[in-house]
Amino acid sequence: MNRQPAVAGQFYPADRSQLKSEMTSLIVERRKKIKALGLMVPHAGYMYSGAVAGAVFGAVEIPETVIIMGPNHHGIGGPASLYPAAGEWLTPLGSVPQETGLSNLILGNCPIIAYDSSAHRFEHSLEVQIPFLQILRPGVKIVPLCLSFVDYATCRELGEALARSIIEFGKDVLIVASTDMTHYEPDDAARKKDGMALKEVLELDPEGLYRVVRSMGISMCGIIPSTVMLVAALALGAASCELVRYATSGDVSGDRQQVVGYAGVAVS
């Protein structure tokens, strides 16, 4: 079963040529790219967060296989829903196949994870990442994983299972954690809270990130994917982390009273 676009025409253009043109304006490619193990990338409408997403995707080498993890905004499906391996994901730029071998390894290595298409049907957080991958890495294959809220021990279990699966897979894999940062607070408050969360990310401390976001009431919707990504990246040998770009919606709209924060982070 192919996964149809749910937010084309809302979060990003539904017209192929218009989308390609917008991608060209958003993606800024570095001359010397980072060989990253994991990324944090925002998932709002391209008007607001696309420049941050384009900066972080353009800063890294994108391998043939990418795991995309996003938060479950709709609460449909299980706690860790892997899209069934036979399906392709469709965007206005064409279809993207799933990497069935890695999907099956992940399923076998972690009993928490189950094949479930329902969690993905309306979820935008994974979908909006795919056009960037299609432009920068034609022929890319994906493993789409939608995560609900779980405790830190479960995040660690998920991350370690992903790392084991990638090692068994035996090829380069990029892990993308889809997340926005603080939601609907004044710009200065959002930047302060996001700074606390990003300090833990930059120190490669997934448990610290989880603890700070929970204790400080930071409305970072992709805290679970981000924590899982950091656990997996550390298990795969990550030793450094770079904040590629940070912005808020206020930088675009001019409204500094109710903003959403966006961070682009590369872990290598």
Side-chain angles (χ1 to χ4, degrees):
M1 179 174 62
N2 290 338
R3 198 273 189 183
Q4 300 293 324
V7 294
Q10 302 173 52
F11 282 67
Y12 62 92
D15 177 77
R16 177 186 175 89
S17 61
Q18 186 181 350
L19 178 55
K20 288 183 74 173
S21 176
E22 185 157 352
M23 291 282 97
T24 301
S25 69
L26 294 174
I27 295 169
V28 179
E29 293 198 63
R30 282 193 186 178
R31 184 171 299 175
K32 186 175 182 181
K33 297 197 174 188
I34 303 165
K35 188 174 176 60
L37 293 166
L39 304 178
M40 279 173 47
V41 187
H43 56 237
Y46 286 1
M47 173 183 176
Y48 295 105
S49 69
V52 175
V56 70
F57 277 123
V60 303
E61 296 178 12
I62 299 176
E64 185 180 14
T65 303
V66 178
I67 297 171
I68 310 176
M69 297 186 293
N72 189 333
H73 286 93
H74 299 278
I76 304 169
S81 299
L82 187 62
Y83 198 84
E88 294 191 346
W89 280 54
L90 308 181
T91 80
L93 299 180
S95 64
V96 176
Q98 289 192 216
E99 175 42 70
T100 56
L102 181 55
S103 294
N104 289 330
L105 284 170
I106 291 170
L107 193 71
N109 276 322
C110 191
I112 302 166
I113 297 173
Y115 281 136
D116 180 3
S117 62
S118 66
H120 294 269
R121 190 169 299 132
F122 306 110
E123 182 55 54
H124 66 278
S125 63
L126 291 82
E127 178 182 330
V128 299
Q129 311 298 353
I130 294 174
F132 289 97
L133 300 174
Q134 289 175 292
I135 292 291
L136 289 166
R137 189 57 158 91
V140 70
K141 297 179 181 179
I142 60 171
V143 177
L145 185 58
C146 191
L147 302 176
S148 299
F149 187 81
V150 294
D151 60 20
Y152 178 74
T154 304
C155 290
R156 187 175 63 240
E157 183 177 347
L158 286 165
E160 290 172 351
L162 289 184
R164 285 196 304 274
S165 302
I166 290 168
I167 291 167
E168 291 175 30
F169 184 59
K171 300 177 185 178
D172 288 340
V173 176
L174 177 65
I175 307 170
V176 174
S178 182
T179 184
D180 292 339
M181 302 298 289
T182 294
H183 288 64
Y184 309 124
E185 295 194 26
D187 192 89
D188 55 350
R191 290 175 185 272
K192 182 176 180 179
K193 285 187 173 182
D194 290 348
M196 290 188 285
L198 289 168
K199 177 178 181 293
E200 304 299 325
V201 174
L202 295 173
E203 291 178 356
L204 295 176
D205 186 351
E207 188 170 7
L209 172 65
Y210 187 98
R211 182 181 62 251
V212 164
V213 168
R214 294 284 287 157
S215 64
M216 299 305 298
I218 301 171
S219 51
M220 177 182 174
C221 57
I223 176 57
I224 304 305
S226 300
T227 301
V228 172
M229 179 275 289
L230 286 174
V231 171
L234 285 168
L236 293 167
S240 65
C241 184
E242 178 184 339
L243 177 61
V244 177
R245 185 165 177 174
Y246 176 86
T248 73
S249 58
D251 296 331
V252 174
S253 69
D255 177 4
R256 301 289 178 179
Q257 298 306 308
Q258 294 280 312
V259 308
V260 180
Y262 311 119
V265 173
V267 178
S268 58

